[in-house]
Amino acid sequence: MDKKQNKILLKALDNFEKQIQVLFIKQKKEYLAAVARLPEYMKKNHKKVGRTVKKAAVPEVLIDNIAEIMAGFIFANEKAYIDKLAALYVAFTNSFFGQIAEICARSVEGSRLGPEMSLTKKATDWLDQHKIKFAQEVNQTTHDAVIKSLKESLGEGKGNNPAGNKLVSDVPNHFNQSKVKEKEKKLEALTDPEKYNTVYQAVEQQQCFEFYRARRIARTETISAMNAATLEGWRQSEVIGGKEWACACDKVSREWHKNADGQQVPLEEPFIVGGEKLMHPGDSSMGASAKNVIHCRCTMKSVLKYKMRR
């Protein structure tokens, strides 16, 4: 990258990382507030909770059931967070994608790009699809991490968490009581806040909300979008016929990325890296796994049409 490209990308990266972190902080606060209201929720919905809990025949299933009940309440606003993540991604790519694409197009010797440039349908389709994929995957990872914390806070049936195990044992005991009067007590088994402290602490300490996750996401998405913009610029130059994978090839580079170094393919065909298809480094639009794109530092080299290997 030249100095101009570098300046544009660093500004976009820094702002994107900060915005993701702000969202994570807000999301964590909302989840914790929901956990604090769990006793009240369990009390108001004790009949529905009871039906679910009664279906659990073994401790592992019971924990899963209680965790899912809690998660259903905690994650009530998940769609809103997916929409917010998608909006962040749009603002992020809008801040640099077109500029990087145009710089790349005009930097190619013999470029046929006219005085003005607008993105091709291939580029806009990639951005639209990746926006949705990005938002859903980031939020799903958060969701899975919190669910894991909920189950761990309930003791996972191992007896290593007294408060969590007490909650797990008291909830079904409450619903299995035979005397109606016993059921009509103050629902101590469901409403004692102390029993939810371990749940609160588990969510509070969950690492998925930490700043370094926001940094990892921002860096991964910046490299991916930068390479997509570069590909768009080469596409619009009309003189580039192919692309070549370029790996950093240092001690932290993935083995399959080292193996891909120097691989040449036509511009609109994917690289094959570790058996997966990628249109450019960091691309997951064709199903590439996280292990192939997260923290990837690979780039591409352009290949003029007449220089393409035959």
Side-chain angles (χ1 to χ4, degrees):
M1 293 187 296
D2 59 27
K3 289 183 179 180
K4 185 176 180 181
Q5 288 174 302
N6 193 54
K7 184 177 180 180
I8 293 170
L9 285 170
L10 285 177
K11 183 178 179 180
L13 168 63
D14 184 60
N15 186 59
F16 193 39
E17 180 183 324
K18 289 176 180 176
Q19 292 299 315
I20 294 172
Q21 183 57 31
V22 167
L23 184 141
F24 282 168
I25 291 171
K26 182 178 180 181
Q27 195 171 22
K28 181 178 180 178
K29 286 181 178 178
E30 183 173 306
Y31 287 175
L32 289 174
V35 172
R37 297 196 305 273
L38 270 174
E40 176 187 351
Y41 171 78
M42 297 286 270
K43 179 179 180 180
K44 289 182 178 179
N45 296 272
H46 68 278
K47 291 183 179 179
K48 180 172 68 175
V49 173
R51 287 194 296 271
T52 304
V53 169
K54 282 182 179 180
K55 295 177 182 178
V58 294
E60 292 80 6
V61 176
L62 178 59
I63 287 177
D64 288 347
N65 283 8
I66 296 176
E68 288 298 329
I69 291 167
M70 292 177 175
F73 180 63
I74 295 170
F75 300 142
N77 294 324
E78 288 306 270
K79 187 180 184 305
Y81 279 108
I82 292 175
D83 292 342
K84 288 176 183 177
L85 281 164
L88 284 183
Y89 187 82
V90 171
F92 161 65
T93 52
N94 282 348
S95 70
F96 75 91
F97 194 94
Q99 294 179 73
I100 296 297
E102 185 166 1
I103 291 170
C104 289
R106 297 196 186 284
S107 67
V108 177
E109 185 177 354
S111 175
R112 297 170 187 171
L113 182 67
E116 296 183 0
M117 189 197 82
S118 58
L119 298 181
T120 64
K121 188 176 185 302
K122 287 184 178 179
T124 56
D125 284 349
W126 184 88
L127 287 169
D128 286 342
Q129 292 167 8
H130 197 70
K131 167 191 70 178
I132 297 169
K133 186 178 177 64
F134 161 79
Q136 291 176 337
E137 288 184 349
V138 169
N139 205 64
Q140 187 62 48
T141 299
T142 303
H143 181 280
D144 292 345
V146 173
I147 285 283
K148 183 174 182 290
S149 291
L150 292 177
K151 291 180 180 180
E152 289 176 350
S153 72
L154 295 172
E156 293 187 322
K158 297 176 183 177
N160 61 352
N161 188 333
N165 275 263
K166 183 66 173 170
L167 180 61
V168 171
S169 63
D170 282 353
V171 169
N173 285 343
H174 169 76
F175 290 109
N176 290 328
Q177 289 175 21
S178 59
K179 295 180 180 179
V180 176
K181 288 185 179 180
E182 291 296 322
K183 290 185 178 182
E184 291 177 349
K185 283 187 175 182
K186 293 182 180 180
L187 304 177
E188 291 92 346
L190 297 177
T191 60
D192 183 1
E194 291 298 319
K195 292 176 183 175
Y196 292 85
N197 283 346
T198 54
V199 177
Y200 189 97
Q201 291 168 8
V203 175
E204 186 176 38
Q205 296 168 9
Q206 175 51 243
Q207 295 181 350
C208 70
F209 301 110
E210 296 297 331
F211 75 92
Y212 50 79
R213 183 182 174 220
R215 176 167 295 176
R216 181 177 69 243
I217 291 170
R219 288 181 175 179
T220 298
E221 294 304 325
T222 298
I223 291 173
S224 177
M226 177 200 71
N227 283 316
T230 299
L231 180 62
E232 171 68 359
W234 293 347
R235 182 183 290 128
Q236 297 219 23
S237 74
E238 296 186 4
V239 295
I240 300 298
K243 55 199 177 188
E244 180 178 315
W245 190 280
C247 176
C249 290
D250 56 23
K251 62 182 181 180
V252 297
S253 296
R254 299 164 173 85
E255 195 60 36
W256 52 93
H257 287 193
K258 291 180 182 178
N259 293 337
D261 188 55
Q263 181 183 148
Q264 278 189 14
V265 295
L267 199 62
E268 301 299 349
E269 292 184 16
F271 294 104
I272 305 298
V273 183
E276 298 180 336
K277 296 179 180 180
L278 297 87
M279 285 301 292
H280 52 77
D283 176 45
S284 61
S285 65
M286 304 184 80
S289 60
K291 68 179 182 179
N292 228 341
V293 298
I294 292 178
H295 274 325
C296 174
R297 297 167 296 127
C298 297
T299 57
M300 300 181 294
K301 297 177 182 178
S302 62
V303 184
L304 293 169
K305 289 181 179 179
Y306 75 91
K307 289 187 176 181
M308 279 294 293
R309 295 172 185 164
R310 299 185 183 278

